[in-house]
Amino acid sequence: MSTRTRLYLEAEPFQNAAGAINAWMEEELRALGHDVERFNRHYPNAGDSGIPVANARRVLALHSRPVADLAIYCDMGLGIRAPNRELARRTFVFFHGLHGHPATWLGNPLIDLYGALSPYMHDTIESLLLTPDWSGRRCLDPRAAANVSTIVPTLPCLESPDGEGRLPGVELPRTVQEALDRGEVLGHAIQPGKADWQAVCAILLGLRAQAREHGHPPVRLVVAAQDFAMLQHVLRFGFPFQAHALAQALQAADATLEDLLLPVPHLSQPALFRLVREARFGLSYNVTPEPFGMYVLESVLNGCPVYTNGAGNNRHALPPGHGILVHETEAMAAGAPDAYASLAARIFQDVLAPAPLREACQRGSALIRRTFTRAAFSSSFRACLSRLESDAARPDWAFEDLVVRLSPTVRRLDAASGRFRSDYRDDQLGGEEQALLPRVLGKSAGDVLRGAPPLAPLEALFDKGVLSLATPESTRPPGSTPGAWAWYPPDSAFMEPSLLRDPGPR
């Protein structure tokens, strides 16, 4: 008898990169003999946002079906219908990102397994589920360490070297080739809605100054047309963020947005790859933490290095020396006017002498092809399904056994000043918090409690996303993805604050 499985997914097959992963999951299920029904998107029509008549009808239709054996959700798909036992006997939720319906999944006892697309996401989800209540000696979801698994994504282009043709998009516009014909140096940053534009424009203004100083052709960055339009709007109206400093910097450099940026519509994968192969660098200085980092991996795979602040998994997507250069300094975090000048100079020198980074991208490309394969995706996804069906007793840890560590979202922490930058927020520790940090870091929750620390600063360290709890390494269940991300930092890398002070570019 086949397993009845229902998919509640926001993106339709090959609608975008998330849709490609969704489609491969469906293919795996069908190959295993599952009887699959798929439901996409959670707003049936625009008018339904006022009075949800169509949603009421859709929910009724969902409950009119027999109970399924398995329900699989993506994070945004949780908006289609919250998990319950009337829909399915078991529930699996996997995350393209963490922006979808957090109150629906955080600590929900009806979710049997969580799936992450990178070790960074695995640790971040686990840390959220283990959010502590120190006075009650408990955490949000004590099952967390045993209920989070990792799937190894593959890249759509690995089976289609010139780009996955089923993903939507248009051909490369003539303006790009015309710029190349004029001898311009092009970079790329085509991730709509993700960039830190103050940082990106500061880098580009630095590159403009470098090019003028050396009598070199102009350097421009190819960006999504919607981001370009948004920046025009910001410079004119000062909304949705203040851009006075950017406007002044442009005026001082006698530059316009058009001098720095070259907008393009949403490109097909073949068109994107043609652009990346011509580009000399990529920028991924983002405000949105990347859950996996497909874009930066695709760039390296096509021979183009990427410079990034490392938001999200971008700092873990490849090991150092493989084409992704993570560079973020205290001056950048503080918003100093000349904070990006040295990075612009570094990029310009790499453009003039590209051989070392070309070799780094070759190493990165080989590692990508070995690691993010369709076979690895298949085996890791099937391991998740087996874990769902397993009746083996899962280990249970006492709250006192959990270990205090730096949150996996922390990118930089200066022990002397207490300033930190993370994927959650940038801030400075208060005096009590700063003094308490070395006393609790690396200790078990039981040892922390026996030390009777002041509760307010202890909770603040967790609420600011600086500290998190994790299970002891020796008691963790075996990983379901052996060999993948062998370079991902072990727990010890999160233990010592000095390790997170600026190491320089890598």
Side-chain angles (χ1 to χ4, degrees):
M1 183 176 177
S2 64
T3 301
R4 184 184 292 113
T5 299
R6 297 204 179 103
L7 306 180
Y8 302 97
L9 309 171
E10 179 66 10
E12 296 175 289
F14 295 101
Q15 175 189 1
N16 49 29
I21 292 173
N22 294 348
W24 293 324
M25 284 191 176
E26 184 172 347
E27 289 177 12
E28 290 292 332
L29 290 164
R30 294 189 185 280
L32 290 169
H34 287 234
D35 179 8
V36 179
E37 277 188 291
R38 172 168 37 86
F39 303 91
N40 295 109
R41 302 174 12 177
H42 58 279
Y43 292 119
N45 57 64
D48 205 52
S49 59
I51 305 290
V53 173
N55 267 285
R57 174 60 61 185
R58 179 177 56 80
V59 169
L60 175 63
L62 290 175
H63 283 271
S64 299
R65 290 172 164 79
V67 177
D69 298 297
L70 174 63
I72 297 180
Y73 292 81
C74 71
D75 53 305
M76 293 298 291
L78 289 165
I80 297 172
R81 183 59 171 163
N84 64 71
R85 297 305 185 204
E86 293 180 20
L87 293 180
R89 183 173 58 87
R90 292 183 187 266
T91 298
F92 173 50
V93 178
F94 73 95
F95 296 87
H96 292 299
L98 292 176
H99 46 277
H101 308 275
T104 301
W105 63 265
L106 281 166
N108 188 335
L110 298 177
I111 296 174
D112 300 290
L113 189 66
Y114 300 92
L117 297 181
S118 66
Y120 161 81
M121 280 289 284
H122 177 287
D123 284 358
T124 300
I125 293 166
E126 181 180 297
S127 72
L128 291 167
L129 294 173
L130 292 177
T131 297
D133 171 4
W134 288 97
S135 58
R137 293 178 177 245
R138 63 189 182 90
C139 53
L140 177 62
D141 188 347
R143 308 171 306 150
N147 278 32
V148 184
S149 193
T150 306
I151 300 168
V152 182
T154 187
L155 306 185
C157 55
L158 285 181
E159 295 179 4
S160 306
D162 291 326
E164 171 56 68
R166 287 172 288 184
L167 290 167
V170 302
E171 288 298 310
L172 204 61
R174 286 189 302 172
T175 52
V176 173
Q177 188 58 52
E178 290 168 356
L180 290 169
D181 291 343
R182 290 193 298 270
E184 293 184 21
V185 173
L186 296 184
H188 66 85
I190 311 178
Q191 287 185 290
K194 293 188 176 183
D196 178 348
W197 287 109
Q198 304 279 14
V200 168
C201 289
I203 295 168
L204 293 171
L205 287 168
L207 286 168
R208 177 180 173 85
Q210 290 281 329
R212 286 188 163 187
E213 180 183 340
H214 292 83
H216 195 274
V219 179
R220 277 207 290 174
L221 191 70
V222 180
V223 300
Q226 66 193 73
D227 279 343
F228 185 81
M230 181 273 294
L231 280 172
Q232 288 180 312
H233 181 88
V234 166
L235 287 172
R236 183 175 179 185
F237 298 107
F239 181 82
F241 60 84
Q242 289 295 322
H244 181 66
L246 174 58
Q248 284 187 321
L250 287 169
Q251 185 176 13
D254 189 26
T256 66
L257 278 182
E258 288 80 359
D259 293 325
L260 305 181
L261 306 175
L262 176 56
V264 296
H266 180 66
L267 300 176
S268 68
Q269 269 219 325
L272 173 63
F273 289 0
R274 282 198 293 276
L275 166 65
V276 170
R277 288 165 186 162
E278 294 284 357
R280 306 295 294 277
F281 65 93
L283 290 182
S284 192
Y285 275 76
N286 291 355
V287 293
T288 303
E290 196 64 45
F292 170 48
M294 188 175 291
Y295 182 79
V296 298
L297 292 173
E298 288 173 337
S299 182
V300 171
L301 191 66
N302 284 280
C304 184
V306 177
Y307 302 82
T308 175
N309 60 352
N313 196 56
N314 277 351
R315 63 185 178 276
H316 305 304
L318 289 174
H322 286 70
I324 298 175
L325 292 92
V326 182
H327 186 54
E328 186 175 57
T329 66
E330 188 171 351
M332 292 175 182
D338 60 347
Y340 294 90
S342 62
L343 175 59
R346 163 71 189 271
I347 295 173
F348 189 76
Q349 289 303 313
D350 288 340
V351 166
L352 295 179
L357 282 185
R358 188 178 297 122
E359 293 172 2
C361 285
Q362 289 172 353
R363 291 191 294 272
S365 176
L367 184 57
I368 291 166
R369 293 181 189 281
R370 292 197 305 270
T371 304
F372 302 108
T373 64
R374 183 63 183 272
F377 172 83
S378 176
S379 63
S380 60
F381 178 63
R382 293 184 183 209
C384 285
L385 296 179
S386 297
R387 201 167 164 187
L388 271 167
E389 293 300 326
S390 173
D391 292 325
R394 297 187 181 182
D396 187 18
W397 296 271
F399 178 79
E400 288 75 9
D401 296 331
L402 298 173
V403 177
V404 177
R405 72 173 196 182
L406 283 176
S407 167
T409 65
V410 172
R411 302 206 298 266
R412 301 188 69 257
L413 190 151
D414 184 80
S417 68
R419 291 200 61 85
F420 67 90
R421 171 166 265 198
S422 77
D423 298 327
Y424 174 56
R425 66 193 282 183
D426 303 338
D427 206 342
Q428 185 164 6
L429 299 179
E432 284 189 288
E433 297 157 12
Q434 194 173 346
L436 184 60
L437 179 65
R439 289 174 46 197
V440 300
L441 196 59
K443 302 284 182 61
S444 71
D447 286 343
V448 170
L449 289 168
R450 281 188 284 275
L455 194 58
L458 178 63
E459 290 180 337
L461 287 167
F462 284 82
D463 292 345
K464 289 181 178 181
V466 174
L467 294 182
S468 63
L469 291 179
T471 55
E473 181 68 24
S474 61
T475 61
R476 291 192 177 189
S480 60
T481 55
W485 290 284
W487 57 90
Y488 182 73
D491 279 352
S492 58
F494 293 116
M495 289 298 183
E496 175 53 53
S498 64
L499 292 177
L500 294 176
R501 300 180 74 168
D502 178 37
R506 64 180 183 86

